[in-house]
Amino acid sequence: MTDKKYVYSFGGGSSEGRADMKDLIGGKGSNLAEMASLGIPVPPGFTITTEACAEYYQSGKEQLLERIRPEIEQHLQKLEELTGKTFGAGPNPLLVSVRSGAPVSMPGMMDTVLNLGLNDETLEALIKLTGNRRFALDAYRRFIQMFGDVVMGIKDKDEYNHEYNPLHWAMDQVKEELGKELDTDLTEDEMARVVEACKETYKKYAKEEFPQDPKDQLYRGISAVFNSWNTPRAVRYREINELRGLKGTAVNVQTMVYGNMGDDSGTGVAFTRNPSTGENKFYGEFLLNAQGEDVVAGIRTPKPLETMQEIMPEAYEQLCDIRSKLEAHYQDMQDIEFTIEQGTLYMLQTRTGKRTGPAAVCIAMDMMQEGLIDEKKAVLRVPPNDLEQMLHPQFDPQKIEQAEFLAEGLPASPGAATGRAVFTADEAEEWHERGEQVILCRMETSPEDIGGMHAAKAILTSRGGMTSHAAVVARGWGKCCVAGAGDITMNYGQRQFTAHGQTVKEGDWLSIDGTTGKVYLGQVPTIEPKLSGRFAQLMELADKYRRLGVRTNSDTPEDTEVAIKYGAEGIGLTRTEHMFFEGDRIISFRRLILVAQTVKMLNDKISSAGEDEAEADRIRQKNKAVLDQYQRALDELLPYQRHDFEGIFRELAGRPCTIRLLDPPLHEFLPHDEAGQKAMAEQLNVSAEEVKATVESLNEFNPMLGHRGCRLGITYPEVSEMQVRAILEAAIKVKREQGLEVRPEIMIPLVGAEQELKLTRERAEAVVQQVLQENNCQADEIPYLIGTMIEVPRAAITADKVAEHADFFSFGTNDLTQMGCGFSRDDAGRFLGDYVKLGVYERDPFQVLDQEGVGKMMEMAVSLGRGSKSNLKCGICGEHGGEPSSVKFCHRVGLDYVSCSPFRVPIARLAAAQAAIAEEQ
Amino acid sequence: MTDKKYVYSFGGGSSEGRADMKDLIGGKGSNLAEMASLGIPVPPGFTITTEACAEYYQSGKEQLLERIRPEIEQHLQKLEELTGKTFGAGPNPLLVSVRSGAPVSMPGMMDTVLNLGLNDETLEALIKLTGNRRFALDAYRRFIQMFGDVVMGIKDKDEYNHEYNPLHWAMDQVKEELGKELDTDLTEDEMARVVEACKETYKKYAKEEFPQDPKDQLYRGISAVFNSWNTPRAVRYREINELRGLKGTAVNVQTMVYGNMGDDSGTGVAFTRNPSTGENKFYGEFLLNAQGEDVVAGIRTPKPLETMQEIMPEAYEQLCDIRSKLEAHYQDMQDIEFTIEQGTLYMLQTRTGKRTGPAAVCIAMDMMQEGLIDEKKAVLRVPPNDLEQMLHPQFDPQKIEQAEFLAEGLPASPGAATGRAVFTADEAEEWHERGEQVILCRMETSPEDIGGMHAAKAILTSRGGMTSHAAVVARGWGKCCVAGAGDITMNYGQRQFTAHGQTVKEGDWLSIDGTTGKVYLGQVPTIEPKLSGRFAQLMELADKYRRLGVRTNSDTPEDTEVAIKYGAEGIGLTRTEHMFFEGDRIISFRRLILVAQTVKMLNDKISSAGEDEAEADRIRQKNKAVLDQYQRALDELLPYQRHDFEGIFRELAGRPCTIRLLDPPLHEFLPHDEAGQKAMAEQLNVSAEEVKATVESLNEFNPMLGHRGCRLGITYPEVSEMQVRAILEAAIKVKREQGLEVRPEIMIPLVGAEQELKLTRERAEAVVQQVLQENNCQADEIPYLIGTMIEVPRAAITADKVAEHADFFSFGTNDLTQMGCGFSRDDAGRFLGDYVKLGVYERDPFQVLDQEGVGKMMEMAVSLGRGSKSNLKCGICGEHGGEPSSVKFCHRVGLDYVSCSPFRVPIARLAAAQAAIAEEQ
């Protein structure tokens, strides 16, 4: 025997274990030990360590049991002394439960044996002791069933090859013979028949009599719990939940107490505060004369905890004291289990209680005000993602239960919405203009659908994942979206979809829940989120502690307004391309695209002519029509763009605004179907063939790696120049007319090489200077910056050089992930599921920043960039900017701000504060 | 006046400049100075420095001229003393040429004035002195014309707006009036009329009399040369040729000498050795009684240099002496110009002579043997790419001149070939089987065409660039290819193409030159390359000095044989996917693809069943048909693959062989057109709809970033397992049957994350161990390695972790460039041209490794990888592995080997040696 301690006792007012020994004695064991130490009544017992479990597998099962036997016997003896009972013998027999207790909760994964220590002899003693034969017999049959199931693994298959437990079947047989339906209908004698039937069945399957030696029962029980650690089911559970580095399960051997010993007994579960609302009120359920498992099984309906106050005032008062003691001790809301055995209260479990988002906020703020925790702890207490629930409308929980479920997809963008089904983006816009509330239903969406997506109340797609076009765009807008509802079959032709035999036609009402992914038929009422005072208080605290700035991604004045309400300190990303889709602009822009390649060719020719101005003029004259058409399109777009920026600048009222120049490849702006091309041809008064030819000539093998971003600006400088002009003109106008400060930050996308930025910056700078001059601007009237996105790996790697031409870096982590990891967001669905399952990436890198790889590129870029320009401003505008663990990473690598969709601004503020506090500690 | 020296004299047996002062006094000036110092007769003169030119622009034109005037006058005086002539006066007038001379040759970009110093007075003196009035008048009219053109910029436009030079037109007018055609037809008096006409025209346009003051002429001439440095044309030339950091042009003022002063005069150009063959024989052309410009103008046909030996034996002997002196001094073959003025030889120019590849090899080896240069210099002397010309067949230079030119495209893969035009890959195979020699003509090629491409003698495409599919595949095979011949319009329907009005029908003979990009009608005879003894000798030297290993990329025994002949030390990349296209295999592979997704789904279900073996069995039973079909396809492919590997292993005879597991996305193996899908459906006995549905379901938005590489192996492990089994079984067979060592290196592609490699490696390792056991192999019987490609940026960034699971890294720089720089090879054509022109990238990064960005990732990966595994073998298998500057980079970052297509192996060997020698120095 080694010196190592394998067994820790608890109960009787003291414990060998502590709450912080979870790794060694498991979650249940450590909390029982802690409660006992606090003087809280706990049925005494002892815990066998997780190390014992580990050695059970390493050094042989029998060897380990032999090694720890003396220590167990010693603790058993101590337990007998403490309780005044005798294990498996005497007039007052000691009965115990044997339960698993891993360091991390693995609900339902591992095994438990209750009432261990019963045999034919102690049964009689128990009958005498309690004067309750039926109770004792019932306990015995439960023990035989559990032992047969858990320890012996008794099972059988029926004619349909389905597994069943013969020990339960034996009881059911007896009940059937007796014509009794419920267990509680059985009389004492009938229960005795059940015990006999169970024993016989046990013998038939186990090829032995039911074991009568309590120690034999105990060691076999302990082994069974150890064995349950490594069932395929448990191993798989740990894999899926990424529970790594655990030694094994502890085993808790604890004196049995019974809540079903009459009307002075009972059992209950409770939360020390309301887990739904956070209200500081004791909240739970109680069942008279019942065992804990009865509450769980739902056979009888438990009563609210308050009822206990009348029935058992003393026990209730004691319980309230314990509640205060536990909260004071754990400094958090607790989830507890208790049993009252003949008037005596025992605590069986305490653990930190799960809660809703609103409850988390409420509890943290209340506890802070109560002086239980300090400000920092209060900030750390709320999981940032929990705030999401508070920011979107929800279906009325009362009504949703009656709603008719239709299909389920991915919870792509949270919130709840009702509307009438439409099947094309155009219809969505038309219906919306008529004042209808619509839900756009598509197989998948594309940039062409932007207008309709914006007009719709919510979006439903039958294909695509969490990062499909629909999902990304909807999240950006905080618009409800269910994506990839695979049960739905869209039929555009007939303007309807079917799901599980139901057909939904154009105009039918739908209700979709982007938080759960569920789709319902008809109109389910929603409730609007209320941002309580406590929410505001938490946000104030977050702002007090965070160092990281929080901006928003927004393309419209409306979104900007929402984001500012949620605390955004500026805009980190305005995508100008969305602006090209609205109304007439798309016509002008398509006219421009139609001749862009020709113009580019002409410009090349003109520039080749070099000093030969006459030749250049000749080219210009000869191609006047096409050059004019190009210029006219640009002239038409300029006021639109200017107007867009004016609205945003006004809303921002002096806050900075990062505006990204045109990014997507041009073909995204053209219709790809025949009908769309025909319509475009008519609108532009050209042949459909010409449109088709342009679409085809712009077609790309890998659009993600294609002709887009700053590459567009380099080949078609006129478009960028128009955009830069629109930005500056809008800035000057708002500054002069409204007297508001305007701080535009012009962002050049997709830079991979120093020279790209240098060139594009020089051209932009020239336009800026020209506009400033035209308007007689003072040097500092419009304090503008010009910077770049870092989204191409090469730019991150050579950031020292890129920084020489940048006032700021903004990490486009979506694309940096795509190029850095080498997978396309649109295509990765085929393998990314497997990848996360197999642990290639711990989480989907498009949702949670891949810190090890993509994050390392960011770190390199920040450090190289600031190495050559110490005051380089660094931010992030990828979707990761609103994901808590990614925000914390951004804090750690020293970014200046994160930018995220309006609805994630509060989440980012809280995550940033938590990162700052964590760093301090 | 500062202390700075602006003017350097040369001639008369001494010089103030030297050959290594190119930056200061230009290429021409420094070589003239050097020759003069060597005692070689050079018409004396002086050079005004490039610094003067720089200051001419910086500090004002007039100021600079004022500042250097005293120095110029001083040198002019010295020149008068040396020559005994007087500038612009007296009976023996000094006439000079004023020529530009930049540090780097900019042919035809800048200006020259000859015969400067002539005026009405010196004309008479010259007539008297030479006794040749016609000669003197002709010199004068040339001077007026040049001065008017170069210094005064006289020009005019005709009615069609075309520019012309009125001074030349004046002469043409006189000739027309006189009915004379050639200049040489004019008599003395007629030439006098020309001089008058030129002077009048000059006056008309320049609004002044032709300047009579020689110093005025001189300074205006010098200014004109300085001005020519910054014309748009010259600026653009420097941009295009990336000539950066130059100060300006020098100006050479040099005494005129005349080769047209009678039959004791003449002029010539020569190479000190034959620039085509390298033969050590004086080689050049000579023209009696002529000026240098007459040779260039091609008015008279010059005679071989040898003829001079008879006509002017003394001068010839002197020239031969100079030849030896120059070669001994410059230690390289020289390109010289000379003039004999009335029996006196003057050297006007010497510079390193351009030469063909074979000549470069011959000259280097000869000079080494002659003791002129040492081994290292000889190795450094040959530009590696020049070897290319020696390795491929060429068109007979005699015959190509008469060939009928048809079109021109990109020189995508060097060599020359003739064959009959076919328009589909299938026909190429059919015709090839009939014994026909064919050229496959396509708009572009795709992986489906592989069979036909292989069968064809050469490939011609009308679209695509240097890195299009056709180009890459053809280069890999060393097969001649002309890509992107935009003048050609393919018409598949009529099985013909048209170009410049010519129509080529199926079966017509074509000749295509992949070295020049030219396409000819008919059969042009080719000559096979001869690898002379000198080539072998050079290669031997290269191997002596290089440290870097050189392997080849090869997928077949045939290519392997060629590569070994060229010195490959093993295979660095075998692409197994090409093997799937041949013959019946594609049927088996397509059968596999058709059910792969279903099988994957079933396997997931089976694995979810977990411990429930019965459920797993039920799934297997129920889907037996599809699982069987999958297994059968795998079983069919195994022997094919094994056979492929056997052939390669045999050819390698013990050399190592890196084999990449299946890499491209599955849809590349399926037909994308309706006809192909129908054919496949018939072959596989399924419906065309099923085939179409599979193709569509596998379709990807960005295939480059899609479901390929190790991702395939992770979702479809059975395919990788089959491949690994084939490799090991083949290895054992060849080892045992042939007694040859086999060293397979299994390469896992597209790894981005440590876990991908870990997982795939574990699975591969299991198969390897199984096959070794099945065959009772000793532990070291087959010394295999398992490693990975580094082609995803994330893998390079996290190479320390990846290396833990890799025996070797092989850089896939094609994909690393695509993902690192963020552009797709197939799409970048739209902007990459502009990018190179604008200097965003100095060279096309797909052809020449982007050392700053992609190279930095490689450096990181090597250093991180070896940090965690010091003996990590590192190589490169991207196309850059055969590009000299990239090979040198690979040497510098410490790779163990490069791998390239068979025909580039000698190039890589030479480049590697040059890198090693450069490092030493």
Side-chain angles (χ1 to χ4, degrees), chain B residues 78-232:
Chain B
K78 205 172 139 192
L79 197 56
E80 286 178 332
E81 286 163 17
L82 199 61
T83 55
K85 301 182 177 189
T86 319
F87 186 52
N92 190 1
L94 173 64
L95 305 183
V96 297
S97 62
V98 176
R99 293 178 205 256
S100 64
V104 178
S105 170
M106 292 168 60
M109 278 302 122
M110 288 184 316
D111 294 326
T112 295
V113 185
L114 299 178
N115 304 331
L116 191 141
L118 272 178
N119 55 20
D120 295 349
E121 186 189 332
T122 51
L123 173 69
E124 294 309 320
L126 191 62
I127 293 169
K128 270 192 204 127
L129 192 70
T130 61
N132 189 338
R133 184 164 170 251
R134 196 191 170 286
F135 157 76
L137 282 165
D138 190 38
Y140 198 22
R141 71 91 190 162
R142 284 179 201 241
F143 176 46
I144 299 167
Q145 285 176 331
M146 276 181 152
F147 192 91
D149 176 17
V150 171
V151 179
M152 304 307 291
I154 290 172
K155 55 186 169 190
D156 203 343
K157 285 183 182 176
D158 68 9
E159 53 190 314
Y160 307 107
N161 215 26
H162 287 145
E163 262 176 21
Y164 69 96
N165 183 339
L167 291 159
H168 288 280
W169 186 81
M171 179 165 172
D172 292 343
Q173 279 294 102
V174 174
K175 274 155 66 182
E176 206 177 307
E177 280 167 27
L178 296 168
K180 296 280 173 87
E181 197 159 329
L182 297 175
D183 295 3
T184 43
D185 296 340
L186 295 172
T187 64
E188 275 181 33
D189 288 339
E190 286 164 357
M191 193 56 89
R193 251 181 83 181
V194 169
V195 169
E196 280 317 303
C198 283
K199 279 167 109 177
E200 272 165 37
T201 309
Y202 180 93
K203 189 178 170 187
K204 178 178 159 209
Y205 280 89
K207 317 278 183 230
E208 63 167 12
E209 296 288 346
F210 185 75
Q212 296 291 314
D213 175 5
K215 285 202 179 153
D216 181 27
Q217 291 174 357
L218 178 63
Y219 288 107
R220 284 161 81 170
I222 291 169
S223 289
V225 172
F226 280 159
N227 288 336
S228 71
W229 175 253
N230 263 1
T231 59

Side-chain angles (χ1 to χ4, degrees), chain B residues 111 115 164 212 229 302 394 417 499 542 553 556 576 610 648 683 705 720 731 735 750-751 801 805 816:
Chain B
D111 294 326
N115 304 331
Y164 69 96
Q212 296 291 314
W229 175 253
Q394 302 291 317
N553 299 350
T556 63
T576 52
I648 291 174
Q683 225 164 16
L705 305 175
S720 310
K735 165 97 185 194
L750 210 71
V751 162
K801 299 195 173 155
H805 315 284
L816 196 58

Side-chain angles (χ1 to χ4, degrees), chain A residues 600 614 697 701-705 711 715 756 792 794 797 820-824 827 830 834-835 850 856, chain B residues 157 600 697 701-705 711 715 756 792 794 797 820-824 827 830 834-835 850 856:
Chain A
K600 152 89 179 126
S697 77
F701 289 99
N702 295 288
M704 172 64 216
L705 305 175
R711 297 163 194 167
T715 44
E756 287 175 309
V792 174
R794 194 186 185 283
I797 300 288
C821 299
F823 36 63
S824 148
D827 303 313
R830 277 207 190 80
D834 276 352
Y835 266 41
D850 158 39
K856 192 166 168 194
Chain B
K157 285 183 182 176
K600 151 92 179 123
S697 76
F701 289 99
N702 296 289
M704 172 65 215
L705 305 175
R711 296 162 194 166
T715 44
E756 288 175 309
V792 174
R794 194 186 185 284
I797 301 289
C821 299
F823 35 64
S824 146
D827 303 314
R830 280 211 187 75
D834 276 353
Y835 265 42
D850 159 38
K856 193 167 167 192

Side-chain angles (χ1 to χ4, degrees), chain A residues 211-511:
Chain A
Q212 295 293 313
D213 175 5
K215 287 203 178 152
D216 182 27
Q217 291 174 358
L218 179 65
Y219 288 108
R220 283 160 82 169
I222 291 168
S223 288
V225 172
F226 280 159
N227 288 336
S228 70
W229 176 253
N230 262 0
T231 59
R233 209 162 55 121
V235 171
R236 196 165 164 77
Y237 180 91
R238 288 197 295 277
E239 273 176 12
I240 291 172
N241 291 278
E242 296 169 32
L243 302 175
R244 293 178 190 128
L246 300 179
K247 287 177 188 152
T249 182
V251 182
N252 296 293
V253 177
Q254 189 178 22
T255 313
M256 286 296 301
V257 291
Y258 295 96
N260 56 347
M261 286 184 75
D263 287 348
D264 56 352
S265 300
T267 191
V269 295
F271 292 88
T272 56
R273 304 191 182 212
N274 186 317
S276 292
T277 65
E279 194 187 0
N280 185 1
K281 213 179 136 192
F282 208 3
Y283 178 93
E285 293 177 325
F286 173 74
L287 206 49
L288 198 70
N289 193 15
Q291 280 285 63
E293 57 193 279
D294 299 331
V295 181
V296 179
I299 297 169
R300 286 161 56 193
T301 306
K303 302 230 154 55
L305 192 63
E306 297 89 308
T307 57
M308 189 179 153
Q309 196 168 6
E310 276 175 37
I311 305 168
M312 300 182 177
E314 267 176 54
Y316 183 74
E317 198 176 324
Q318 199 188 351
L319 193 63
C320 287
D321 281 352
I322 289 171
R323 172 198 173 212
S324 309
K325 216 176 207 169
L326 286 174
E327 277 207 344
H329 184 70
Y330 285 103
Q331 302 186 335
D332 202 353
M333 187 265 270
Q334 296 293 301
D335 169 358
I336 58 176
E337 289 176 28
F338 61 91
T339 285
I340 297 133
E341 186 186 72
Q342 297 180 315
T344 309
L345 174 70
Y346 293 99
M347 298 300 298
L348 300 181
Q349 168 100 291
T350 189
R351 57 187 171 193
T352 303
K354 295 207 190 316
R355 64 207 77 181
T356 65
V361 174
C362 176
I363 291 170
M365 292 299 100
D366 283 358
M367 285 194 166
M368 185 184 78
Q369 250 134 21
E370 293 158 21
L372 268 179
I373 54 176
D374 63 13
E375 286 183 353
K376 291 177 188 174
K377 268 212 175 115
V379 169
L380 290 175
R381 190 54 62 76
V382 181
N385 272 335
D386 279 10
L387 299 183
E388 180 115 43
Q389 301 166 29
M390 310 178 70
L391 303 171
H392 295 281
Q394 301 292 316
F395 285 127
D396 185 338
Q398 310 288 319
K399 305 290 167 60
I400 197 71
E401 284 174 22
Q402 297 126 39
E404 186 169 357
F405 173 79
L406 197 60
E408 186 160 0
L410 299 168
S413 181
T418 62
R420 302 177 68 182
V422 295
F423 294 88
T424 71
D426 287 347
E427 274 160 17
E429 289 192 81
E430 283 166 33
W431 286 56
H432 175 69
E433 273 163 35
R434 297 207 300 265
E436 294 282 356
Q437 219 165 280
V438 296
I439 291 179
L440 177 60
C441 308
R442 301 283 301 165
M443 278 192 262
E444 51 208 348
T445 63
S446 75
E448 295 171 47
D449 300 328
I450 285 285
M453 291 167 76
H454 201 265
K457 188 85 178 166
I459 298 155
L460 169 64
T461 67
S462 58
R463 291 194 200 153
M466 289 297 285
T467 49
S468 61
H469 179 261
V472 172
V473 171
R475 275 201 297 281
W477 290 334
K479 187 180 294 266
C480 167
C481 173
V482 170
D487 304 335
I488 287 178
T489 309
M490 293 284 173
N491 187 332
Y492 291 158
Q494 297 184 30
R495 306 211 170 183
Q496 63 180 39
F497 72 74
T498 52
H500 299 298
Q502 293 265 24
T503 299
V504 172
K505 292 182 180 301
E506 186 179 82
D508 287 353
W509 282 91
L510 285 179
S511 296

